[in-house]
């Protein structure tokens, strides 16, 4: 028996505690295939808390075989830190479910000869400036300014959008109306951040989730997005609908644009999450990520198609061609509006409320039949008790939300409003 066969088979997952809580089906599916889940997390994860969940046999993350925390996602540091795993385990796959590890995952899968996006595609997906250069035929008009060029930053036309090139979760993305607002926005960024100044693309926003196997686009799903841009200068996502309720021609245009982008990236295997605006019916790329989508999008595709998407992600990492179905229902996520103050409680009559920060596990949902009536599938809270609520500048400030599971022909707006209206937030006002 050779040494390869003597080593226990394993899959490396690079993530953080928040994403692990959302995607715990990944860990379960890996373990149920007889593979050891080896997990890498970054500095934002409370390692003691994660270790406690791993030691709790009732928690789904208890299936994790080993976990390591890195202070950053520098490729050389990550590869050096997992070299003993590569020696001690037969690594069968590498999965990225956290944005900061897109680069190391792409390089590691390439280095081990395993399926993955490819190191080049991963690099471009992680860097907004590279995306604008490489995918310049698909995006808006833009200019990038390195840190030493900050004082000369300007927009070709207003209104414009300013964003830091290396951040996530809509952090630092703001609309500006003139040079004065642009100068003020620049003061909020770190001195070493490269800044993008882009034309403001108007029109509805969508994401396209795609499953790719060895360069073959197997499945695409279009998700409609709702942001707070209509009543603020920010672009925080406050809702999603999967699949989007839009004309077939528009859906086909989004899928075709995404397919062209994947071809330009030479994307090999895995899941992608690309964000677009539809301007006069034509897709304009905002950005693309080589990882699982955030918020409740994977849960929503489970409800819409009748099948969880995580096993397909594991298949792709292992080089197996998955078969993922088309949707027969529609799922909607909406965040609840809040007033300023401290969040002390959330209630919903007839449904349990999941405080996912406390439990580090998203509730499991079960799909229903295509003709089943509308239902509230889940009520969750994104913050811890006692968190301060204020204006939504980015995703970290959102509070409670519902996920609704609807028949195909239901009105998503009316149906989900009936559920969000039943959510009761208890908020203690800030002292005068």
């Amino acid at each position: 028996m050779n040494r390869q066969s003597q080593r226990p088979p394993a899959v490396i997952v690079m993530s953080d505690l928040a994403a692990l809580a959302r995607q715990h089906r990944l860990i379960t599916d890996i373990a149920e295939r007889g593979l050891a889940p080896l997990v890498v997390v970054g500095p934002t994860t409370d390692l003691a808390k994660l270790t406690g969940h791993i030691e709790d046999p009732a928690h789904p993350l208890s299936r994790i075989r080993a976990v390591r925390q890195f202070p950053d996602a520098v490729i050389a540091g990550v590869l050096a830190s997992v070299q003993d795993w590569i020696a001690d385990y037969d690594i069968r796959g590498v999965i990225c479910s956290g944005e900061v590890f897109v680069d190391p995952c792409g390089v590691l899968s390439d280095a081990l000869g395993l399926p993955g996006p490819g190191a080049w595609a991963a690099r471009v997906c992680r860097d907004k400036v590279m995306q604008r250069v490489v995918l310049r035929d698909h995006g808006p008009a833009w200019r990038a300014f390195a840190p030493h060029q900050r004082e000369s930053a300007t927009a070709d036309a207003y209104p414009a959008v300013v964003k830091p090139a290396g951040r996530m979760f809509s952090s630092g993305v703001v609309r500006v109306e003139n040079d004065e607002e642009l100068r003020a926005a620049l003061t909020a960024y770190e001195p070493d951040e490269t800044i993008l100044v882009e034309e403001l693309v108007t029109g509805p926003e969508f994401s396209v989730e795609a499953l790719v196997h060895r360069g073959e686009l197997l499945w695409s799903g279009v998700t409609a997005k709702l942001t707070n841009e209509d009543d603020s200068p920010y672009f925080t996502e406050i809702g999603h609908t999967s699949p989007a309720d839009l004309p077939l021609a528009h859906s086909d245009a989004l899928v075709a644009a995404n397919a062209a982008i994947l071809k330009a990236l030479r994307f090999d295997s895995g899941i992608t999450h690309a964000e677009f605006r539809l301007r006069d019916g034509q897709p304009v790329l905002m950005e693309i990520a080589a990882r699982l989508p955030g918020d409740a999008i994977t849960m929503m595709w489970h409800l819409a198609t009748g099948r969880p998407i995580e096993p397909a992600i594991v298949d792709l990492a292992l080089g197996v061609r998955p078969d993922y179905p088309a949707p027969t229902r529609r799922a909607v996520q909406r965040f609840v509006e809040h007033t300023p103050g401290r969040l002390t409680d959330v209630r919903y009559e007839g449904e349990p409320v999941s405080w996912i920060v406390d439990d580090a596990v998203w509730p499991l949902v079960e799909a229903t039949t295509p003709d089943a009536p509308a239902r509230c599938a889940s009520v969750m809270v994104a913050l811890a008790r006692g968190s301060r609520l204020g204006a939504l500048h980015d995703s970290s400030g959102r509070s409670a939300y519902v996920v609704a599971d609807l028949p195909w022909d239901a009105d998503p707006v009316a149906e989900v409003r009936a559920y969000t209206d039943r959510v009761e937030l208890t908020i203690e006002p800030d002292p005068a």
Side-chain angles (χ1 to χ4, degrees), residues 239-253:
H240 307 277
T241 302
S242 301
D245 185 13
L246 78 169
L248 182 60
H250 288 174
S251 179
D252 286 347

Side-chain angles (χ1 to χ4, degrees), residues 316-367:
L316 290 171
L318 298 176
V320 177
R321 189 182 191 278
D323 179 21
Y324 197 67
T328 57
R329 289 176 67 81
R330 210 177 301 278
V332 182
Q333 177 187 21
R334 286 291 184 276
F335 283 84
V336 179
E337 294 183 6
H338 60 250
T339 56
R342 296 201 174 274
L343 180 67
T344 60
D345 199 13
V346 177
R347 294 183 298 276
Y348 186 98
E349 184 180 356
E351 288 285 342
V353 175
S354 298
W355 292 76
I356 53 180
V357 173
D358 293 343
D359 301 333
V361 59
W362 279 43
L364 289 174
V365 295
E366 296 298 331

